[in-house]
Amino acid sequence: MSALANNYKRKNLSFARGKGSFLFTSDGKKYLDFVQGIAVNSFGHANQHLVKAINNQSKKLWHTSNAFIIPEGEKLAKRLVKRTFADSVIFQNSGAEATETSIKVARRYFYSIGKKHKNTILCIKNSFHGRTLAAIHASGSKKMTEGFGPKIPGFSHFKFGDHEKLKKLITKNTAAIMIETVMGEGGIKTIPIWCLKEIRKLCTKKGILLILDEVQCGIGRSGKFFAFEYANVKPDIVPIAKGIGGGFPLGAVLMTKKIAKAMIPGTHGSTFGGNPLAMSVGNAVLDQINNKLLNNVRKTSKYFISELNILKNKYPKLIKEVRGMGLLIGLQLFTDQTYFINKLMDNKLLTIKAAENVIRILPPLNVKKNEINLALKIIDKVCKNLNK
Ligand SMILES: *Cc1c(COP(=O)(O)O)cnc(C)c1O
């Protein structure tokens, strides 16, 4: 009997070590890991540059309070600002903290300009913004909020693609629209480029903020630094986490100058957020997110998706759709995907579920072509056996 609470349905499988795209059990079994901690380990397991960064920093300084200047954090924030739409950064430790801080920042901005009534956040129904109380109510998912009442006010929901409803929901009390650029847990559903552009225009016209949750699709995962760059739009606030830590817990909120002005001393804080250890790892992740890597993500993605589409055509009764962008890929089946995922696992390929019968496939960003080919071979084999 485990002493851990039973809030996860875990597979009966554990690992002793990892190297790049692979995980190894204590008895030496080798698995191709296309989960990577759910889009967290941007460069796979035991990436040398990250190992070095954390080793070096761990010998110098782990943690100091945000009451003092943390040079590694100053550096990481400057680099994030230099690379993106943002002028200012607040560091956190996780995705949910980053999305929740984004909500706080949006509301505080309107408060600071004398419009405290503007505090409602519009979100997509059954989206995913994390598991804290506000974040589950932002997600508007019955499954996630059930039993965790009372309902937290200040959120309204529209269905994915329901533009009329979205427009109708905007009132004088609306502060922001908060959406994932690519819905990860929701089944790898991408907000179309034209739609992002329209939403940006709508926000500007109505004087509300656009929060793009890039916790899962950000930091190179989409093939661009941020997925919204494909649409050439500029958000106001962007929460990030997962990939920026490369496996170390790290989250952040990126924002424009106008909004950052509202975050005066005392408005927000975090004991651990922005600690030297996390900041050193974040810097070492950014060192490796260069144009060469992003080109490779796009190239690998194109190949992988086209090969998956060949499998879709080969097994039209099993695979309904190949979805996603970059190395955030979804294989939508016609039926429940759990059995399929377990079969892939039996064949030493690790993938993970998302909503709408989707199998999520998340290789590290530096995945090699022969590893993609190995995954394709395993998927083909499992399809063939199921197709009998
Ligand atoms: C994973 C995720 C979160 C929550 O991140 P945690 O680190 O688990 O709190 C929030 N938003 C999106 C889009 C995510 O994928």
Side-chain angles (χ1 to χ4, degrees):
M1 237 318 245
S2 173
L4 291 169
N6 201 24
N7 58 323
Y8 292 103
K9 194 171 174 185
R10 299 177 202 270
K11 312 255 180 233
N12 187 20
L13 182 64
S14 70
F15 302 100
R17 63 184 186 90
K19 182 89 194 109
S21 296
F22 293 95
L23 279 169
F24 300 85
T25 61
S26 54
D27 55 356
K29 286 199 192 87
K30 184 179 177 185
Y31 286 79
L32 180 57
D33 180 13
F34 278 9
V35 178
Q36 290 296 339
I38 314 195
V40 164
N41 308 320
S42 305
F43 303 102
H45 301 281
N47 173 260
Q48 278 312 299
H49 189 59
L50 297 191
V51 170
K52 217 183 277 169
I54 203 165
N55 277 341
N56 287 343
Q57 188 61 43
S58 73
K59 286 175 208 152
K60 289 192 285 187
L61 188 64
W62 290 26
H63 178 82
T64 55
S65 163
N66 279 303
F68 307 103
I69 291 170
I70 299 173
E72 296 80 7
E74 297 283 343
K75 180 176 164 190
L76 181 54
K78 270 211 178 80
R79 293 175 77 183
L80 287 168
V81 162
K82 194 159 173 225
R83 258 193 110 144
T84 67
F85 74 97
D87 305 303
S88 193
V89 180
I90 295 178
F91 288 114
Q92 301 285 150
N93 311 285
S94 68
E97 277 183 318
T99 56
E100 192 145 337
T101 303
S102 299
I103 296 163
K104 284 183 70 178
V105 165
R107 288 180 179 165
R108 188 72 194 201
Y109 163 70
F110 284 111
Y111 175 89
S112 77
I113 59 167
K115 295 183 178 174
K116 67 175 181 200
H117 59 279
K118 285 180 93 61
N119 55 33
T120 300
I121 315 288
L122 309 185
C123 306
I124 294 177
K125 191 152 186 53
N126 294 321
S127 54
F128 189 85
H129 300 291
R131 295 287 197 152
T132 58
L133 273 176
I136 56 174
H137 287 97
S139 302
S141 140
K142 185 160 182 285
K143 203 171 126 202
M144 277 198 285
T145 52
E146 194 167 12
F148 299 113
K151 188 173 175 208
I152 299 208
F155 299 98
S156 297
H157 297 94
F158 57 98
K159 277 204 195 114
F160 180 85
D162 192 347
H163 305 106
E164 290 315 306
K165 178 75 190 268
L166 168 59
K167 280 183 208 153
K168 258 189 227 143
L169 283 178
I170 298 174
T171 69
K172 67 175 193 335
N173 296 328
T174 307
I177 297 175
M178 178 165 81
I179 52 178
E180 296 164 77
T181 318
V182 182
M183 295 174 70
E185 308 294 312
I188 319 284
K189 291 204 290 201
T190 304
I191 311 283
I193 286 176
W194 67 267
C195 185
L196 272 181
K197 285 185 194 285
E198 286 301 309
I199 289 177
R200 174 65 270 181
K201 270 193 227 153
L202 186 65
C203 286
T204 306
K205 189 173 138 209
K206 300 277 183 183
I208 60 180
L209 303 175
L210 177 59
I211 306 173
L212 291 177
D213 181 347
E214 294 243 357
V215 168
Q216 187 157 164
C217 61
I219 323 298
R221 178 67 41 196
S222 72
K224 299 250 186 198
F225 192 79
F226 281 131
F228 61 74
E229 290 172 27
Y230 286 102
N232 217 2
V233 296
K234 202 173 149 229
D236 300 290
I237 302 169
V238 171
I240 59 173
K242 294 195 167 89
I244 184 65
F248 197 86
L250 169 56
V253 179
L254 277 57
M255 68 202 102
T256 59
K257 190 160 45 205
K258 164 179 113 173
I259 293 155
K261 265 205 296 207
M263 302 309 285
I264 56 173
T267 48
H268 187 67
S270 165
T271 301
F272 295 122
N275 67 80
L277 212 46
M279 297 297 98
S280 295
V281 180
N283 274 305
V285 167
L286 277 199
D287 290 342
Q288 299 179 81
I289 310 261
N290 49 37
N291 282 337
K292 188 167 163 237
L293 177 98
L294 295 178
N295 280 333
N296 200 52
V297 169
R298 291 196 294 270
K299 205 174 105 195
T300 310
S301 169
K302 207 170 155 196
Y303 171 70
F304 199 9
I305 288 178
S306 79
E307 291 294 311
L308 286 170
N309 272 311
I310 292 172
L311 290 181
K312 180 193 131 184
N313 294 334
K314 194 168 164 190
Y315 304 106
K317 283 184 199 141
L318 280 175
I319 302 172
K320 190 172 173 190
E321 195 180 25
V322 181
R323 297 173 166 183
M325 56 161 63
L327 291 171
L328 180 57
I329 295 172
L331 207 55
Q332 189 187 36
L333 304 188
F334 281 102
T335 52
D336 182 71
Q337 73 282 57
T338 312
Y339 185 75
F340 199 103
I341 288 172
N342 287 339
K343 285 289 162 199
L344 293 174
M345 192 175 83
D346 292 346
N347 285 280
K348 309 286 189 294
L349 170 63
L350 303 176
T351 58
I352 194 156
K353 248 170 117 134
E356 300 189 350
N357 295 333
V358 167
I359 295 172
R360 233 178 327 169
I361 309 176
L362 304 159
L365 304 184
N366 58 355
V367 66
K368 297 189 183 78
K369 192 167 175 191
N370 64 338
E371 294 162 349
I372 298 283
N373 284 334
L374 174 59
L376 286 164
K377 215 171 109 187
I378 296 171
I379 296 167
D380 188 16
K381 182 180 165 194
V382 168
C383 285
K384 197 181 284 167
N385 283 331
L386 285 174
N387 214 31
K388 274 182 188 150

